[in-house]
Amino acid sequence: MNGGTHFGLVIGVCLSTCFAGVSQAEPESGLSAIQSFIQWEGQDEAPEIYGAVGFFADPTPPQWLVLTPVEGEEDVFRECIVKDGVVTAERMFRKLPGQDLPSIPIRLEDVKYDSGDAFLAAEEAAGSRKIKFESAHFQLRCREKGQEPVWMVSLLSGYHISIGVVYVSAKSGDVIREKWQGEPSGKMYSSTIELSKPVSGN
């Protein structure tokens, strides 16, 4: 294919509000996975969500990781794996010194554009440069400025090598920033996203 989103990162991103009746016949979008998580929690009020990530999307990842804070525990987070509308695993962990994790709750009503929209925007950006990719990693989190939720789409080659990163506003759908291998890049956000190996899930 002439575009596949490959987005390497782990621990921390997420979103959405009202997506009842999501079909589980196909892999979930970021929004529907977050809604599945909220329904699974079964609380009267939606829990705070700091972010969501999905790995090896083409154009949808096989599962999503949803990051939430642990109430009453400073720098302790919970990460849940959502697959096919079900939370299949979860873990709690403490933030390491210097580790850059999302810290701003996502206003779900501000998330107007789903992971599929972000994928298409990244695919168009890559196509305009005649850059091909095989898959992508997604991350959703709030950037500090204006607490705007942003999709970070990391595009990867068939050898899992990063080709470029496209930042798409989940609120407006606009491409905020692009960074491509071999091209000079502008200033990164003051709070950059930390990439690491995907965690395995069921």
Side-chain angles (χ1 to χ4, degrees):
M1 59 176 292
N2 186 16
T5 313
H6 209 88
F7 185 86
L9 71 165
V10 85
I11 299 178
V13 269
C14 172
L15 61 100
S16 186
T17 171
C18 158
F19 282 79
V22 175
S23 172
Q24 303 305 327
E26 298 180 358
E28 291 180 299
S29 69
L31 286 170
S32 60
I34 291 172
Q35 183 61 25
S36 294
F37 168 75
I38 293 173
Q39 293 174 348
W40 177 79
E41 283 284 90
Q43 299 180 11
D44 293 335
E45 296 184 4
E48 286 190 336
I49 294 174
Y50 280 4
V53 292
F55 300 100
F56 306 113
D58 186 21
T60 306
Q63 63 186 25
W64 290 89
L65 309 178
V66 177
L67 187 75
T68 59
V70 174
E71 187 175 356
E73 296 285 345
E74 185 177 1
D75 291 335
V76 177
F77 297 85
R78 183 169 65 132
E79 182 183 68
C80 293
I81 297 176
V82 181
K83 183 175 182 179
D84 298 331
V86 177
V87 174
T88 62
E90 64 176 307
R91 68 168 181 145
M92 290 192 295
F93 63 95
R94 185 174 296 277
K95 179 181 177 181
L96 299 175
Q99 187 175 16
D100 179 28
L101 293 176
S103 59
I104 302 173
I106 295 171
R107 289 170 48 89
L108 301 182
E109 59 269 28
D110 286 345
V111 180
K112 309 296 184 183
Y113 292 84
D114 204 344
S115 54
D117 302 308
F119 182 92
L120 290 175
E123 188 174 49
E124 182 176 349
S128 68
R129 290 169 172 75
K130 298 184 175 6
I131 294 174
K132 295 182 179 181
F133 63 99
E134 290 301 322
S135 61
H137 295 325
F138 288 103
Q139 183 177 23
L140 177 69
R141 71 182 288 175
C142 283
R143 55 189 261 204
E144 292 180 359
K145 184 178 180 181
Q147 299 187 2
E148 178 183 6
V150 172
W151 285 106
M152 173 180 153
V153 186
S154 178
L155 307 177
L156 305 183
S157 71
Y159 296 98
H160 299 176
I161 297 173
S162 177
I163 297 171
V165 183
V166 179
Y167 298 84
V168 182
S169 169
K171 187 173 183 179
S172 68
D174 295 334
V175 173
I176 298 170
R177 183 175 177 273
E178 302 174 27
K179 181 180 180 182
W180 302 96
Q181 290 295 331
E183 293 185 7
S185 61
K187 184 179 180 182
M188 293 286 286
Y189 300 141
S190 57
S191 177
T192 57
I193 296 174
E194 213 172 66
L195 303 186
S196 61
K197 294 192 303 181
V199 295
S200 59
N202 297 328

